[in-house]
Amino acid sequence: MAAAGGGSGGGAAAAAAAALWSEVNRCGQNGDFARALKSVNKILQISKDDVTALQCKVVCLIQNGSFKEALSVINTHTKVLTSDIIAFEKAYCEYRLNRIENALKTIQSASQQTDKLKELYGQVLYRLERYDDCLAAYRDLIRNSQDEYEEERKTNLSAVVAAQSTWERVVPEDLGLREATYELCYNTACALIGQGKLNEAMKKLQKAEELCRQSLSEDSDVTEEDIEAELAIIHGQMAYIMQLQGRTEDALQLYNQIIKLKPTDVGLLAVIANNIITINKDQNVFDSKKKVKLTNAEGVEHKLSKKQLQAIEFNKALLAMYTNQADQCRKLSASLQSQSPEHLLPVLIQAAQLCREKQHAKAIGLLQDFADQHPASAAEIKLTMAQLKIAQGSVTKACIILRSIEELQHKPGMVSALVTMYSHEEDIDSAIEVFTQAIQWYQQFQAKSPVHLSLIREAANFKLKHGRKKEAISDLEELWKQNPKDVHTLAQLISAYSLVDPEKAKVLSKHLPSSDTMSLKVDVDALENSHGATYVRKKAGKLAGDSQQKEQGQGDVKKKKKKKKGKLPKNYDPKVTPDPERWLPMRERSYYRGRKKGKKKDQVGKGTQGSTTAGSSELDASRTASSPPTSPRPGSAAAVSATSNVIPPRHQKPAGAPATKKKQQQKKKKGGKGGW
């Protein structure tokens, strides 16, 4: 019974297992992995160490996104699920859980490298930023594979090339990839950005946008919002190009448009937010604080490269400094320095924060320590130290620091800066010493180069300016020996000798070319009408042309403009000599006697009410006939004999006070108006 029961039970179990396997197979084909997992678990209840069932369970968990649980099943059944059987699934779970180093070890420990493992190996190398190895892996895959995934492999290959160009500044080789998809166009544009070919990159991005719209619009289920979401990464790269080109307003507008779409890619949002912060700098700090939150989203660290994450952290530290969060700034910069001890930016941020706190000496000490520990970055650090010294007013100390940078001592920019600073401090000897050291370096390594000759000339000009004539002459003679046909140098040399040895200047002047041999083709008109001309001839060309046309039409006779005769007074008498003082003001003429007093006009309204004046008798009509006139009547001058010496009107002095008084009143009135 027992045996029979056992046999009967075993047959029932086998039949149940077969039914369950059929269910698993059917659900797997339909993509219903949740239901398939239930059936697999039932099979494992019947046979807990069934290798096939365990493999199916791991696959179902992976398909459902349960990577931790899948990895737990693999690690729990290591005796059954050996690395040869389950290597790909284990490595894939580790890869999806961002355990990239573990995934690499799992792949490398596999006894057989299948095509699936090679594909995953390429992805792992890309995440580890080992781009050279990744490029070799994808090339091998493309060469030895022929299936429907070839286009995807080429896209991944182009992504590796773009990363090399962007992060390692490697000039990419032409892989001959046909840009048939928008992903390939996008990756090509990224590679061009890495090379600095921004205009070409923008054209590629525009093409990628067009291809993306075409491919997505063919699917009727894809909405316009879906298309815009897919285009977000392309538009983000376009905005980045605009930012690099200095079109910050356009870039900012496009960045904000992308953020409004709320894309699901946290990496894209973090990069856009970081770029907006860089545009804002120390302005619009409130907006920058809001954008920083986007860079702290979960999973960002797995979406971006190390350099991208580092740039974001740098900007966070700078923002903390701009917002006067000194402790936060120090904390972030110290963390960055511990992660990258050789990197320059964390130290510069710390020094800047110390300067904001007026601790310049401490900032310079910090920079000096870093320069001593990292000689490769000493030049940049010392330039910053010199800038801090200049800000403190210690120009001489700044010069000492700059002169300690041996690799830059001979550079024209450094020479110019040092000479300017020493001149400001009136240390002419040190300035000349800077010139001498730079000239000696070029004499040894780049003799007769344009920079060498230019430095000699500049040194000579500087010495002449500061009264070092003999030293300047020595430099000019050296320069003339290098090029005896240089008339400009010869002229300078003669000018310098004329201040020290006029006879020598005369001898040298014989080497100057004669005026006959010098063919100077100078357009005088163009020179006079040039922008910098001090004398500009009047432009009479148009008038002259018009007059020539008139002359040609009317003949050679030139019409002279007639002068108009001046107008004469109505009572002008040519026989009478004009008053020689007629041009003088009335008060300044010799015959002016002043105003007569006692006139009626002056007396009207004066005195107390009802009183009479001394001239009231003149108002009496009965006395008018016998009273002699106090002023000439109208026409009295005409009644005088013509033989007398009469001055005609306008030429004669006023005959009575009333006329003079009227003029004076008018002047007073006019003056009063002006005074108000």
Side-chain angles (χ1 to χ4, degrees):
M1 291 288 292
S8 162
L20 289 170
W21 278 117
S22 299
E23 179 71 12
V24 169
N25 185 42
R26 185 175 58 80
C27 291
Q29 290 177 352
N30 296 333
D32 189 356
F33 295 101
R35 190 168 181 179
L37 181 61
K38 292 178 181 178
S39 300
V40 169
N41 285 331
K42 290 178 181 178
I43 294 171
L44 288 171
Q45 287 176 0
I46 298 171
S47 177
K48 65 177 182 179
D49 290 331
D50 190 322
V51 176
T52 307
L54 287 170
Q55 278 184 298
C56 288
K57 182 174 183 177
V58 169
V59 171
C60 289
L61 289 170
I62 290 173
Q63 291 289 349
N64 291 331
S66 303
F67 302 109
K68 282 186 178 180
E69 193 175 345
L71 192 60
S72 177
V73 171
I74 294 170
N75 292 330
T76 304
H77 300 82
T78 51
K79 291 182 180 180
V80 181
L81 297 174
T82 60
S83 59
D84 295 338
I85 298 173
I86 205 78
F88 173 77
E89 287 78 5
K90 182 181 180 182
Y92 185 75
C93 288
E94 290 169 336
Y95 172 79
R96 293 300 302 270
L97 292 170
N98 296 304
R99 303 173 187 177
I100 310 301
E101 294 288 351
N102 293 342
L104 180 63
K105 290 177 182 178
T106 302
I107 293 169
Q108 290 174 338
S109 64
S111 59
Q112 185 180 359
Q113 294 294 317
T114 61
D115 289 342
K116 291 192 298 183
L117 277 173
K118 287 179 181 179
E119 296 276 3
L120 185 58
Y121 180 60
Q123 292 284 349
V124 167
L125 291 174
Y126 184 83
R127 287 285 301 276
L128 291 172
E129 299 182 21
R130 291 170 52 180
Y131 299 123
D132 291 336
D133 295 337
C134 184
L135 191 66
Y138 276 116
R139 275 180 166 168
D140 180 64
L141 278 168
I142 292 171
R143 192 182 302 114
N144 299 314
S145 301
Q146 287 184 348
D147 53 27
E148 66 272 18
Y149 300 111
E150 184 178 358
E151 201 67 39
E152 292 182 10
R153 294 189 189 100
K154 287 181 178 179
T155 301
N156 291 342
L157 182 66
S158 67
V160 177
V161 172
Q164 281 184 316
S165 176
T166 304
W167 308 122
E168 297 180 351
R169 301 300 177 190
V170 175
V171 178
E173 57 180 300
D174 186 7
L175 300 174
L177 298 176
R178 192 169 60 89
E179 296 166 2
T181 63
Y182 69 89
E183 292 95 344
L184 281 168
C185 272
Y186 174 81
N187 288 335
T188 304
C190 293
L192 290 170
I193 292 171
Q195 299 173 64
K197 300 177 180 178
L198 302 181
N199 292 329
E200 293 180 40
M202 182 63 85
K203 291 178 182 177
K204 291 292 181 184
L205 288 172
Q206 289 168 351
K207 183 181 177 182
E209 180 181 7
E210 184 181 350
L211 289 172
C212 182
R213 287 188 182 279
Q214 287 178 358
S215 62
L216 294 179
S217 60
E218 292 172 359
D219 190 346
S220 58
D221 296 333
V222 177
T223 63
E224 185 63 29
E225 291 180 357
D226 296 334
I227 294 174
E228 289 298 324
E230 189 69 22
L231 288 171
I233 191 168
I234 298 174
H235 290 160
Q237 207 71 343
M238 286 180 172
Y240 177 60
I241 291 176
M242 293 174 187
Q243 186 176 351
L244 292 177
Q245 291 175 333
R247 297 161 54 192
T248 53
E249 291 297 326
D250 296 336
L252 197 59
Q253 184 178 358
L254 193 50
Y255 282 143
N256 286 320
Q257 286 178 5
I258 296 168
I259 289 176
K260 286 179 182 177
L261 292 173
K262 297 180 180 179
T264 56
D265 189 346
V266 292
L268 174 63
L269 279 173
V271 169
I272 289 173
N274 174 74
N275 292 351
I276 291 174
I277 292 170
T278 61
I279 291 174
N280 290 339
K281 295 183 180 178
D282 57 344
Q283 305 296 320
N284 204 0
V285 178
F286 180 72
D287 179 62
S288 296
K289 278 189 169 183
K290 289 197 298 183
K291 295 298 186 291
V292 164
K293 295 178 182 177
L294 295 175
T295 65
N296 297 327
E298 185 181 355
V300 168
E301 66 276 11
H302 306 306
K303 290 284 186 177
L304 303 179
S305 68
K306 291 178 183 177
K307 289 193 175 181
Q308 285 175 312
L309 292 170
Q310 195 177 56
I312 289 173
E313 292 302 311
F314 286 144
N315 289 327
K316 284 180 183 178
L318 286 170
L319 183 61
M321 184 182 72
Y322 289 142
T323 53
N324 298 317
Q325 295 175 291
D327 293 337
Q328 179 72 1
C329 177
R330 277 190 285 268
K331 182 180 176 182
L332 289 169
S333 57
S335 174
L336 285 166
Q337 192 173 9
S338 63
Q339 294 171 17
S340 305
E342 75 290 344
H343 208 291
L344 185 63
L345 274 178
V347 180
L348 292 177
I349 293 171
Q350 290 176 18
Q353 180 59 46
L354 288 170
C355 289
R356 287 173 74 93
E357 297 169 1
K358 308 298 181 185
Q359 300 183 46
H360 293 87
K362 195 172 180 180
I364 291 172
L366 178 69
L367 293 171
Q368 184 63 59
D369 293 341
F370 186 85
D372 295 338
Q373 295 170 10
H374 303 87
S377 303
E380 294 177 69
I381 287 291
K382 287 180 178 179
L383 287 172
T384 307
M385 291 167 63
Q387 185 180 359
L388 292 177
K389 286 292 184 184
I390 292 170
Q392 290 178 287
S394 304
V395 179
T396 304
K397 291 182 179 178
C399 290
I400 294 170
I401 294 171
L402 291 175
R403 293 184 71 175
S404 68
I405 309 174
E406 295 181 1
E407 61 267 36
L408 298 179
Q409 279 185 358
H410 62 281
K411 298 289 185 182
M414 180 63 78
V415 173
S416 176
L418 285 169
V419 169
T420 303
M421 291 162 70
Y422 276 128
S423 300
H424 181 269
E425 295 296 298
E426 298 182 358
D427 189 353
I428 307 305
D429 291 332
S430 296
I432 291 174
E433 187 180 347
V434 170
F435 270 124
T436 304
Q437 289 178 353
I439 290 169
Q440 287 174 352
W441 188 92
Y442 280 99
Q443 183 68 39
Q444 184 178 357
F445 298 104
Q446 296 181 20
K448 298 183 180 180
S449 66
V451 178
H452 179 212
L453 300 178
S454 175
L455 277 173
I456 295 173
R457 188 183 300 280
E458 290 298 325
N461 291 336
F462 182 82
K463 291 169 185 176
L464 281 172
K465 182 180 178 182
H466 292 89
R468 308 293 179 90
K469 300 179 183 65
K470 291 184 179 179
E471 297 176 38
I473 287 170
S474 176
D475 290 338
L476 289 170
E477 283 182 339
E478 176 66 25
L479 202 60
W480 190 42
K481 285 178 184 177
Q482 300 289 345
N483 186 8
K485 295 181 180 180
D486 188 353
V487 180
H488 178 63
T489 304
L490 179 59
Q492 277 188 305
L493 187 59
I494 293 168
S495 177
Y497 265 120
S498 66
L499 302 172
V500 179
D501 189 351
E503 293 299 323
K504 180 70 173 177
K506 287 182 181 179
V507 174
L508 287 173
S509 64
K510 294 178 181 178
H511 295 281
L512 287 171
S514 63
S515 58
D516 298 334
T517 58
M518 296 174 68
S519 57
L520 299 174
K521 297 180 180 179
V522 179
D523 188 346
V524 178
D525 294 333
L527 189 63
E528 288 180 347
N529 294 325
S530 64
H531 181 68
T534 55
Y535 165 78
V536 180
R537 189 191 301 172
K538 290 183 179 179
K539 296 182 179 180
K542 188 174 180 181
L543 295 173
D546 293 344
S547 62
Q548 286 175 4
Q549 290 177 2
K550 288 180 181 178
E551 286 174 2
Q552 290 174 0
Q554 297 176 4
D556 297 331
V557 180
K558 293 184 179 179
K559 291 184 178 180
K560 291 184 179 180
K561 198 173 182 180
K562 293 182 179 180
K563 291 185 179 180
K564 291 184 178 180
K565 293 182 179 180
K567 291 184 178 180
L568 298 173
K570 293 181 179 179
N571 299 328
Y572 173 71
D573 188 354
K575 296 179 182 180
V576 179
T577 306
D579 181 9
E581 297 182 8
R582 64 188 182 278
W583 308 116
L584 296 174
M586 185 61 68
R587 287 179 175 275
E588 296 178 12
R589 298 181 189 180
S590 59
Y591 47 78
Y592 180 68
R593 294 290 179 268
R595 293 171 54 188
K596 290 185 179 181
K597 297 180 181 179
K599 301 313 293 177
K600 297 181 218 177
K601 270 190 177 180
D602 293 339
Q603 301 300 324
V604 174
K606 291 186 179 180
T608 58
Q609 187 174 3
S611 65
T612 58
T613 62
S616 60
S617 59
E618 294 180 4
L619 298 175
D620 188 359
S622 62
R623 302 183 59 184
T624 306
S626 59
S627 301
T630 56
S631 62
R633 295 179 184 176
S636 60
V640 181
S641 173
T643 58
S644 63
N645 188 15
V646 178
I647 300 173
R650 192 181 179 109
H651 295 280
Q652 62 186 6
K653 63 182 180 180
T660 306
K661 181 180 176 183
K662 186 176 182 181
K663 285 187 179 180
Q664 288 175 350
Q665 286 176 345
Q666 286 176 351
K667 285 185 179 179
K668 281 187 178 181
K669 187 177 180 182
K670 188 176 181 182
K673 187 176 181 181
W676 286 103

